[in-house]
Amino acid sequence: MFIDFDIEVNTKEELDKYLVDKKIELPSYRPAVIALILDKDGNILLQRRGPKSRDEFGMLEDIGGAVEESDVTFRDAMGREIIEEASNEMNFTINKLIGGCLINKFNPRVGEDVNWLFLLYECSYIDGEIRCNEEGKALGYEWYKYDEFPKEEIASSTLSFWEYYYNKKETC
């Protein structure tokens, strides 16, 4: 299920209020942020999942992760995730909240299903070094044009996010 936002929500409280106001009913969920990163030529940055990743080893995916209690806003969480995963030497901007996608995923760390509400942010790579900061979780970073995606190598949720971004197709 995709959610189009007509305003930017900044916190879980704002998000919950927005969902109630729009009469969008969701099961209990955890918020997470996903960076849809493009360079000035429209290339898309994806990371190759490593052997220490939770799932989908070897697949390509976007940068992102769970919103933590220490994150004041969703944008803070997005910036933290980009720096944690791809280096504090990479210059980037977080442009705008694109939408949200509710996905249920099994979390082997806790042994149960989790409903994730992924908040998708359009981001721009400006310059600087991109490197794997979480050794073993990612093997490296790769750039692709959307129409040149190796679709069989892309995590299903990541492919859904980009199809939504480019085509407004709801595939979650």
Side-chain angles (χ1 to χ4, degrees), residues 31-158:
V33 291
I34 300 293
L36 305 179
I37 301 176
L38 297 123
D39 69 8
K40 64 180 175 32
D41 297 320
N43 297 304
I44 297 165
L45 180 65
L46 298 172
Q47 64 178 315
R48 179 85 53 187
R49 293 181 64 80
K52 292 183 181 176
S53 58
R54 180 181 4 224
D55 55 15
E56 299 179 299
F57 170 69
M59 301 296 281
L60 292 164
E61 73 170 359
D62 297 302
I63 291 172
V67 174
E68 297 178 0
E69 286 187 28
S70 60
D71 297 319
V72 176
T73 68
F74 295 141
R75 281 180 175 266
D76 291 340
M78 187 75 277
R80 177 187 50 75
E81 285 290 340
I82 292 170
I83 290 168
E84 279 180 4
E85 294 183 26
S87 111
N88 61 357
E89 294 176 27
M90 180 175 108
N91 295 307
F92 61 90
T93 58
I94 301 169
N95 301 329
K96 64 182 178 179
L97 176 64
I98 298 165
C101 182
L102 182 69
I103 298 177
N104 180 281
K105 291 185 105 177
F106 181 74
N107 184 339
R109 291 182 187 157
V110 296
E112 62 186 35
D113 285 343
V114 175
N115 291 311
W116 291 101
L117 181 54
F118 293 106
L119 301 171
L120 311 176
Y121 283 89
E122 177 190 277
C123 301
S124 296
Y125 167 79
I126 300 168
D127 61 21
E129 182 182 359
I130 303 169
R131 67 173 181 272
C132 296
N133 278 349
E134 297 179 314
E135 192 171 321
K137 282 189 173 181
L139 299 175
Y141 289 91
E142 301 172 28
W143 291 97
Y144 291 96
K145 291 278 188 211
Y146 172 72
D147 58 358
E148 297 172 357
F149 267 179
K151 290 188 178 181
E152 66 284 350
E153 296 179 44
I154 297 181
S156 60
S157 56
T158 296

